[in-house]
Amino acid sequence: PAMAIAAAAALMLAATPLRAQSAADRMAIESWRDTLSQISDTIMLLRRERLMITEAKADRANTMLHLRLGFLSLRYGDLAGGLHYEDAASEFEWATQLEPTWPYAWYGLGMAELAIGDSQIAIVTGLKTMVGKDAMARAADAYARSAEVDPGFVQGLVELSNTALAQRVNIRLDVALDALRQSAGTQSAANPEVLLARGRIEREVGNPDSAIAALTGYLANGGHKGLGHLELARAQLGTGRDAGAPNYYDGATYDDTLSVPLYRQDLAYFASAEELAGFDSTAGQGRSTWLREFWTGRDNLSLRSPNERLKEHYRRLYYCRQNFRLASVNRHYNIEEIYHSGSQEFDDRGMIYMRHGTPSDRSFYAAPGIEPNETWVYRHPDGDLVFHFVSREDVQDFKLVESLLDIFGYATAVQLQGVTTSLSNNPTTEALLTSRENISPLYTKMKGAGGASISRYMAEERSTGRQSYERGTSTDSYELRFDQPISAKVKVLAVGRDSAGALVQVAYAIAGGSLTGIATSRGQVYPVRVRFSVLDSAGKAVASLDTTRFFLSRTPVPVTEHLVGRAQVHAPPGLHQYRIMIQQGE
């Protein structure tokens, strides 16, 4: 075919050595890469590679020849694999020695290092990562040099940023951010891809205002609308800004391959398979409407104000990226490690955090011979959730186990189930149980029990862990929390109707001892907020109410009396559950 002949002819062009990387040099390299991208015939590439290797051996100082050969080897490696990525790295490395100020030499070296990749043996990868010698680190260094020698080199800036964001440890975010800021005075500053990269990096290092400015610039300079609105929303929502919600829903109306998978990825941290299927069935404005109903349902379920759950989701995502990222995707499980999330991004703590947020309380125990461990508790009105985590082979990979005693390992946990003497006889076991007394009174009982009681308490503790695991890994929550409990009685009755339909009546009485008034010239004012959601059998809110009433009393309500109020809301016929929150003051 004519194109194949043209491509072959282009491959046969001889490289002319030049002493400086001019604009013409750069255009020639990009033209060469475009030509290579159109060729899938490995035999043709291999023949040309051998000819160019012969030329390169005879003309060792020809930098352009080595760059061309490096990109050719990369293309061959993409098609056939093998050792060609290492060959490409060698060519680019030699080019950096010949012309250390040429950005394309460093850029190509970064591409080759990433392509070579890491050893698949977990311990080797882990050691390399810890000392900053993994493929990601080497690639980041090379991309950083390409941006350093030429701050206007767009490709290097973008790839440096992408690589830094993908790193798990030894992260080069500061290097990427410095390179991006240095480029602010160059022509690349207004490039949409550079603005997108800067926005993402600024957001990741905790500079939301700078991130918002860069991402706003990305949209203004012709960036993809769907992606731009989503990335801007992530920066705004993650710091609790309501302005992020309109951007989030606007971005969802665009049917493009850049933003739609990211919207879905953000949901997949906790949404059910059925909910993800619902997302997949939508498009355009319908997708935006579906997302709005999805998050509104979560707000109603949690008795939250509009957009609270959406903002909390992106706050959680940022926190997890800072605290629970996996150093290696090569995860191995012991028999007692029951939860296989499938995540290659976060450990099990991160997956629970994405679902339930900040624990109500947490504990750990450190001692020689004891693996790193944590226990989290979420105190919910309908039953606490308790999660135990242990990290065995990798200090950055905590996995969920069923019982606190599983921290000792499966064999020891089984052995302990058969004991009839007090667990306090073993100082280590006693210390571990003591460390969890803030989690549940059950651990105090386990520490002091013996005989038949200890077996019963251990069975109860394991059952609690199992139930928490089953419920906690299949649901999500964002429970309201208050520093002080309130003494109140509530009655919910399906009574009455009007022209709009059936009514549900909510009556409440708050004990005077729980009231905190606001002194005014007319007496004591007591603000009372009622949040109420009616849920169908699928847990979806079919009616909701959020109202605040201000009660005025000439004198403080006595401790022995109650403040009584009522609210009502329309609800459809059917068998429903409800959630209610009565709040007085703070």
Side-chain angles (χ1 to χ4, degrees), residues 502-526:
L503 289 165
V504 171
Q505 308 289 337
V506 179
Y508 54 89
I510 304 174
S514 285
L515 295 171
T516 301
I518 302 172
T520 70
S521 59
R522 299 176 59 192
Q524 294 288 318
V525 174
Y526 297 99

Side-chain angles (χ1 to χ4, degrees), residues 485-566:
I486 195 171
S487 177
K489 297 179 180 179
V490 178
K491 204 73 174 178
V492 178
L493 300 169
V495 175
R497 63 179 301 112
D498 59 15
S499 59
L503 289 165
V504 171
Q505 308 289 337
V506 179
Y508 54 89
I510 304 174
S514 285
L515 295 171
T516 301
I518 302 172
T520 70
S521 59
R522 299 176 59 192
Q524 294 288 318
V525 174
Y526 297 99
V528 176
R529 183 177 181 182
V530 177
R531 288 183 258 191
F532 177 70
S533 284
V534 182
L535 310 172
D536 63 16
S537 59
K540 182 179 180 181
V542 295
S544 63
L545 173 72
D546 187 347
T547 183
T548 300
R549 180 178 175 184
F550 295 88
F551 292 84
L552 176 64
S553 176
R554 289 185 178 180
T555 59
V557 176
V559 174
T560 56
E561 296 185 13
H562 289 76
L563 188 66
V564 178
R566 180 183 66 86

Side-chain angles (χ1 to χ4, degrees), residues 113-126:
E113 292 287 11
L114 274 185
I116 292 171
D118 289 317
S119 166
Q120 295 303 304
I121 303 173
I123 188 171
V124 173
T125 302

